[in-house]
Amino acid sequence: MSELVNISEVFGKNVFNESVMRERLPKNVFKKLKQTIENGKELDPSIADVVAHAMKDWAIERGATHYTHWFQPLTGITAEKHDSFISAPGQDGKVIMEFSGKELIKGEADASSFPSGGLRATFEARGYTAWDCTSPAFLREDAIGVTLCIPTAFCSYKGEALDEKTPLLRSMQAIDKQAVRILRLFGNTTSSRVTPSVGAEQEYFLVDREKYLKRKDLIYTGRTLFGAMPPKGQELDDHYYGAIRERIGSFMNEVNRELWKLGVTAKTQHNEAAPAQHELAPIYAQANLAVDHNQMIMETLKKVAGRHGMTCLLHEKPFAGVNGSGKHNNWSLTTDDGINLLNPGDTPHENVQFLLVLACILKAVDVHADLLRESASDVGNDSRLGGNEAPPAIISVFLGDQLEDVINQLCDTGEATHSKQGGTLKTGVAMLPDLDQDVTDRNRTSPFAFTNNKFEFRMVGSSDSVAPSNVVLNTIVAEAFQEAADELEKAEDFQIAVHDMIKRLFMEHRRIIFNGNGYSKAWVEEAARRGLPNITCMVDAIPALVTEKAVKLFENFQVYTRAELESRAEVEYDSYSKIIHIEALTMTNIAGKQIIPAIIRYTTRLADSIGKVSSVCPEADISVQKDLLLEASARLAEIKTSHSKLVVLQEELKGIKDAKERALACRHRLVPAMEELRRPVDSLERIVDKDLWPMPSYGDLLFEV
Ligand code: ADP
Ligand code: MG
């Protein structure tokens, strides 16, 4: 039995949160800081020293020796550089611990080796990290000791964003401003801010550490590059929501405790569809905090897995043919006085404000489907999206029966007069209570689904940051709100104008609504008829970042400049090629050094057997050995051919200088060549002796955790 925990005692223990600040900061300083945090006011630099001092004392009392500006460069993960609190020794030889306001607010990272996509040449190495006081500082406890982590944004010498957080904060300002305009139109004078709320559900795999270490592909690329399907996969669905085993249970217990200490509201945990796959979801929080928390969740999962003799795989598709992992980004808009703009109420047909918000979101998603799709692309997700387990690569919106019916009434008759209501679910068992039935069933195949009072964007990859998706969501909806507010603020009769606008927007953007089965072939054809984009891979998604439409959108809201967008596209092409090259190199290494030698041992064993059997017993039937030898030799020849082809191809592609061209060549030439090498290897894995096969199988990895 593991240690008992009292959640309320541990929760937020390692966070420099509001109650700690109230206790430790002078009243006027606390007030000023709170204003910055809550109202987005600029931080008063004169209070920084006082805050830094209090933060340092608090951290040191809890054993901290170092502090770090914790930031999120364009690698999808976090980065940090640690400094100890030690400054020069004092007169008496005792060490002085210092941490000034300047060190809190601004850090300088020689960040020339972070991706910048040409925004900064290597000789212009200066990059700055700036404190994001809306996300509280926290203490991380691990083998290094205790470190004070200060969430920061990361910019170049000239102020261009080099990270995920800066544009996210900019996009939050944009949607705040435009959403408040919409509220004012409906006579709301009391709400002063609107913030996107985000809850990111995280899927992951756990594998045994020792087995993991025997797989070079997992070590270098985070996914298996070879591997035949085990006799049993997920077809019985006996893992999904299954009872959690002891080893996993004790891992989850520790993950929760670590996260609670960091103020992350880890809430639900369950086994997922694939064997060895699990999910963790926190309670939703304001978008930038939720993005930070998701990074902490990923870090904690990895760290704690190691302590339990396991490795956590965050890759989108660690095992071909087995369900992959994603991240559901739940998103809604909340006012500072607690109103959720996406709450339809019991009778949505009468809720005009909700219908306008909904119509604007539909328009945003329809007009900028390409950007949303781009925000969810990473290399791993290419093996998942559209693969009958994850959302299709086509963006559509699921609204459910009730809302679709309201929209149909509006579009068909110009008037919505009623809302479908949920019934009562009869269990048919006298002892069980009858349950209220939700008005709408769930749809698991939609990439963008309305669920109760939020939208769930289900396309994001499990290893990716959720920041880019929220940047896009916030900005595209801000644009739709802006266009609506511009028109409605000028209207002579608001009621008539808003009614007409809602109807018009639904009519114009209805094509994006789809309540059916997103996994079906019929939908792919239907979507093409509707003119919806079907972008099947990352390299085809990236151009969406730099269309004139995107530049206009992001420049209008000062979320990205054209140069920042171009640099991001460049970074993505480049990282795509790098990742594919690493995978290809890992494959040729494994094939050359482990698989080919193993097959040679196998064929030698067969040949020895044929020789020995026929000399001892010339009349014995040795056709099985011969068949196997023929088959193995034929596959071996195929492996050698594909292996050589892959080696040559890699060299050839290295010569391509243009980032986009190289990425396209990787996608269209290297990826198919990798698949060609994999095929004969996987088919041999099914026949070669287990003791000769040089690495653990899918079955070993998935069923023996
Ligand atoms: P569901 O099962 O319908 O997906 P859950 O209650 O499991 O809903 O929530 C999934 C995630 O969505 C959780 O992280 C949850 O906190 C988050 N969530 C719930 N309501 C909202 C909301 N209004 N805005 C954003 N996220 C939300
Ligand atoms: Mg969900």
Side-chain angles (χ1 to χ4, degrees), residues 212-439:
Y212 166 88
L213 289 173
K214 293 190 180 126
R215 300 249 357 180
K216 301 282 180 223
D217 46 5
L218 284 180
I219 294 174
Y220 293 122
T221 72
R223 72 167 176 126
T224 55
L225 298 168
F226 298 104
M229 281 299 284
K232 177 182 174 204
Q234 67 206 48
E235 51 283 277
L236 296 179
D237 278 331
D238 52 353
H239 183 72
Y240 192 48
Y241 278 34
I244 295 168
R245 271 168 301 139
E246 285 274 301
R247 185 180 190 187
I248 309 295
S250 98
F251 158 84
M252 286 180 173
N253 182 311
E254 190 173 336
V255 166
N256 286 335
R257 258 184 301 149
E258 292 283 317
L259 289 173
W260 290 333
K261 276 198 263 177
L262 293 168
V264 179
T265 51
K267 169 86 176 156
T268 52
Q269 58 197 25
H270 62 79
N271 288 348
E272 257 301 328
Q277 192 186 29
H278 310 276
E279 181 184 296
L280 187 155
I283 296 175
Y284 65 95
Q286 130 179 356
N288 70 319
L289 209 57
V291 167
D292 287 359
H293 283 179
N294 181 250
Q295 292 289 351
M296 293 184 203
I297 289 173
M298 292 195 283
E299 284 178 23
T300 305
L301 288 171
K302 282 192 193 161
K303 202 178 294 182
V304 175
R307 295 184 199 148
H308 290 253
M310 298 186 285
T311 296
C312 172
L313 305 177
L314 292 173
H315 194 283
E316 285 72 17
K317 194 74 176 172
F319 306 97
V322 177
N323 205 61
S325 301
K327 188 136 53 191
H328 291 178
N329 187 83
N330 293 273
W331 180 92
S332 68
L333 293 169
T334 320
T335 66
D336 54 337
D337 47 357
I339 305 165
N340 176 359
L341 270 57
L342 270 74
N343 187 357
D346 290 337
T347 49
H349 71 282
E350 295 171 330
N351 189 343
V352 182
Q353 181 183 302
F354 169 77
L355 290 176
L356 178 64
V357 168
L358 182 67
C360 287
I361 295 175
L362 284 189
K363 168 181 167 179
V365 173
D366 186 20
V367 172
H368 297 292
D370 57 341
L371 277 175
L372 264 181
R373 169 67 183 87
E374 200 290 326
S375 75
S377 32
D378 65 16
V379 185
N381 236 1
D382 274 8
S383 324
R384 195 177 80 97
L385 295 179
N388 269 9
E389 40 140 320
I394 306 159
I395 299 269
S396 66
V397 179
F398 169 81
L399 289 179
D401 297 340
Q402 189 192 46
L403 292 181
E404 200 182 14
D405 177 60
V406 170
I407 292 174
N408 287 342
Q409 291 177 50
L410 266 170
C411 292
D412 299 343
T413 68
E415 218 48 70
T417 55
H418 57 274
S419 298
K420 281 188 179 175
Q421 298 298 324
T424 306
L425 191 75
K426 302 256 184 251
T427 55
V429 179
M431 285 98 73
L432 294 180
D434 290 337
L435 305 170
D436 283 343
Q437 192 179 31
D438 288 308
V439 274

Side-chain angles (χ1 to χ4, degrees), residues 201 279 328 330 442 444 451 454 456 458:
E201 305 166 57
E279 181 184 296
H328 291 178
N330 293 273
R442 284 170 184 273
R444 285 280 163 219
T451 44
K454 61 186 195 288
E456 188 169 344
R458 300 189 178 131

Side-chain angles (χ1 to χ4, degrees), residues 104-232:
L104 166 66
I105 293 187
K106 189 178 120 186
E108 194 184 324
D110 171 12
S112 49
S113 37
F114 288 109
S116 81
L119 270 184
R120 188 162 34 66
T122 322
F123 60 90
E124 298 168 336
R126 264 185 218 275
Y128 295 111
T129 49
W131 183 33
D132 165 21
C133 63
T134 59
S135 177
F138 58 92
L139 295 176
R140 198 174 40 206
E141 298 168 332
D142 53 24
I144 305 176
V146 182
T147 309
L148 170 68
C149 298
I150 301 154
T152 53
F154 179 43
C155 306
S156 76
Y157 184 63
K158 293 184 188 121
E160 290 125 340
L162 295 175
D163 68 346
E164 308 284 18
K165 173 163 267 187
T166 310
L168 179 66
L169 293 172
R170 293 173 182 164
S171 74
M172 288 169 70
Q173 283 178 15
I175 191 137
D176 172 27
K177 189 166 161 201
Q178 302 307 328
V180 168
R181 288 177 70 193
I182 299 289
L183 289 176
R184 295 287 179 266
L185 282 167
F186 286 91
N188 175 330
T189 51
T190 43
S191 306
S192 52
R193 290 196 75 192
V194 174
T195 319
S197 300
V198 170
E201 305 166 57
Q202 176 73 47
E203 291 180 336
Y204 60 94
F205 278 86
L206 287 173
V207 295
D208 184 80
R209 178 107 189 128
E210 276 180 27
K211 297 196 180 93
Y212 166 88
L213 289 173
K214 293 190 180 126
R215 300 249 357 180
K216 301 282 180 223
D217 46 5
L218 284 180
I219 294 174
Y220 293 122
T221 72
R223 72 167 176 126
T224 55
L225 298 168
F226 298 104
M229 281 299 284
K232 177 182 174 204

